[in-house]
Amino acid sequence: MNSNYQLPVKYIFSSDAPQNFAEMIKEVIPLSARFWSSEFKPTTEFPIVLGSPASVEWVNDEMKRYGHEIQVWTRETITKQGEKASRGDVVNNSRGAITYYVIGKEADRSIKTGNELLMRGFVAHEYVHAVAVSIIGDRQKGIPGWSVEGSANFYGFAIAALMAEQPNAAFEKVNTQNLRRSYYEQGALVPHSLNKDDLYKAVITSEKGGGGDGTTCAEPKILCYTAGALFTEVLVADYGHNKFVDWWKLSRKKNWEIAFEEVYGIQIDKWYEEVAIPYVIQQSKGAIPEVPAPESSSTFTQHSARLPRPFVDPSIQTQRP
């Protein structure tokens, strides 16, 4: 971490921007930038747009200045959620990446009533997406869906925990909150409610992001955000942060599955079976013990390694200004 790095950030806040969240952004983003400064050091303006549900069209107009637009269904969802809304994203095109947040009054108040840790993680989560764009070349392509969202969750939580008085305890708390809140508020899939084979199949589907059934990574199952965060935690704990970055960097040049095996020395399916999935099930049981595990056998079928997909250069942008 470079403690002297200053991000050339441009804060673009609406006149009714949520004040607690606005203050939080100005605390979390500089720390996030210093944390990632060895890999990501923007030299041009880094815009962050913040508004409320009432000003979502203003946010969209500001996005248009950078060649982007918030999808209609997203704007409609924000309007429907009203003061409970808590949305953010990073989008990129050939001109660069831009971050936006739309936060309702209820979500903003929660920062001062026990939700500060998760909301800090949310701010830092979006910054990780910007880092991924710079390393891999695209917001969604080049790495599996569980790493797109789960790695952003893990590093977002880690940065939020670094800001706490007791970082280790804070990280453990936010990890558990991630599983419990995702299940109780969003009806997310509880990993240990599946046996190992079924969870493996769900993970394979989540690699494609929203692919397959369209929900394994996205709502309501959001496995990418829950299991994906724990997958990343295991990788960083076992091999270190630098190896993780090496995997992302190599995935810009070749299939992420091949890059994974070259960097970590283990084939991805073997790692799922022997390391990642058992850890996720263990953590899930601890976080949500009231949900029972299946009665069926939890032993694994030994899956043969899958053939890698054809490589598509993720740096070839699909979004244009």
Side-chain angles (χ1 to χ4, degrees):
M1 183 188 295
N2 182 347
S3 60
N4 297 318
Y5 175 67
Q6 297 293 321
L7 179 74
V9 63
K10 180 180 181 180
Y11 297 113
I12 307 168
F13 294 174
S14 66
S15 59
D16 66 345
Q19 290 307 301
N20 293 332
F21 196 84
E23 292 173 7
M24 177 174 284
I25 283 180
K26 291 183 177 180
E27 294 173 351
V28 176
I29 291 297
L31 178 61
S32 300
R34 292 195 293 272
F35 182 95
W36 285 102
S37 58
S38 295
E39 290 80 32
F40 180 50
K41 197 176 291 185
T43 56
T44 57
E45 178 181 282
F46 187 87
I48 298 178
V49 184
L50 170 65
S52 73
S55 58
V56 66
E57 293 303 326
W58 176 90
V59 173
N60 192 49
D61 288 340
E62 292 300 314
M63 297 281 287
K64 288 179 181 178
R65 296 175 186 271
Y66 294 88
H68 297 287
E69 188 167 356
I70 304 173
Q71 292 179 315
V72 172
W73 71 266
T74 301
R75 303 204 307 270
E76 290 175 347
T77 300
I78 289 169
T79 301
K80 183 178 180 181
Q81 291 174 333
E83 299 306 339
K84 294 182 179 180
S86 180
R87 304 284 296 204
D89 203 0
V90 170
V91 290
N92 68 292
N93 59 20
S94 57
R95 290 164 53 184
I98 183 169
T99 308
Y100 79 86
Y101 301 93
V102 180
I103 308 296
K105 290 179 182 177
E106 204 168 311
D108 190 54
R109 280 194 295 267
S110 75
I111 293 170
K112 299 296 185 182
T113 56
N115 201 28
E116 184 176 33
L117 196 58
L118 276 173
M119 292 296 272
R120 280 177 173 170
F122 167 42
V123 173
H125 172 114
E126 301 305 333
Y127 192 84
V128 179
H129 285 321
V131 174
V133 169
S134 74
I135 294 174
I136 302 160
D138 189 81
R139 166 71 171 77
Q140 298 285 357
K141 297 179 180 179
I143 52 175
W146 62 256
S147 189
V148 172
E149 298 298 349
S151 298
N153 258 8
F154 167 78
Y155 279 108
F157 297 159
I159 290 167
L162 285 173
M163 301 177 72
E165 290 184 6
Q166 296 180 308
N168 290 338
F171 183 79
E172 185 65 29
K173 178 182 178 181
V174 77
N175 241 353
T176 301
Q177 282 180 326
N178 181 42
L179 287 166
R180 290 190 65 83
R181 176 175 169 271
S182 297
Y183 171 59
Y184 283 102
E185 293 184 14
Q186 297 168 274
L189 174 68
V190 177
H192 78 268
S193 68
L194 302 179
N195 63 35
K196 290 182 179 180
D197 273 328
D198 288 339
L199 183 54
Y200 169 83
K201 293 172 187 174
V203 168
I204 297 303
T205 304
S206 78
E207 290 176 345
K208 305 179 184 69
D213 62 4
T215 61
T216 306
C217 191
E219 293 181 10
K221 295 181 182 178
I222 59 174
L223 196 67
C224 290
Y225 295 81
T226 53
L230 296 170
F231 283 4
T232 309
E233 180 188 345
V234 169
L235 285 174
V236 174
D238 288 351
Y239 299 96
H241 170 71
N242 290 337
K243 281 270 191 180
F244 182 84
V245 173
D246 288 344
W247 172 45
W248 271 11
K249 288 180 177 178
L250 194 57
S251 296
R252 185 165 185 150
K253 301 174 183 177
K254 56 182 67 179
N255 286 342
W256 68 263
E257 303 103 313
I258 295 173
F260 186 95
E261 187 168 1
E262 289 186 15
V263 170
Y264 292 116
I266 185 170
Q267 198 272 336
I268 184 67
D269 294 309
K270 188 176 178 65
W271 180 75
Y272 285 154
E273 294 175 3
E274 295 181 357
V275 181
I277 286 176
Y279 181 69
V280 167
I281 288 175
Q282 173 195 350
Q283 292 298 304
S284 177
K285 285 179 178 177
I288 316 173
E290 55 269 45
V291 174
E295 294 181 2
S296 58
S297 172
S298 62
T299 57
F300 242 132
T301 301
Q302 290 299 311
H303 301 278
S304 58
R306 293 165 290 149
L307 292 174
R309 300 186 308 275
F311 177 64
V312 178
D313 187 346
S315 65
I316 299 175
Q317 305 296 341
T318 55
Q319 301 182 66
R320 298 296 178 190

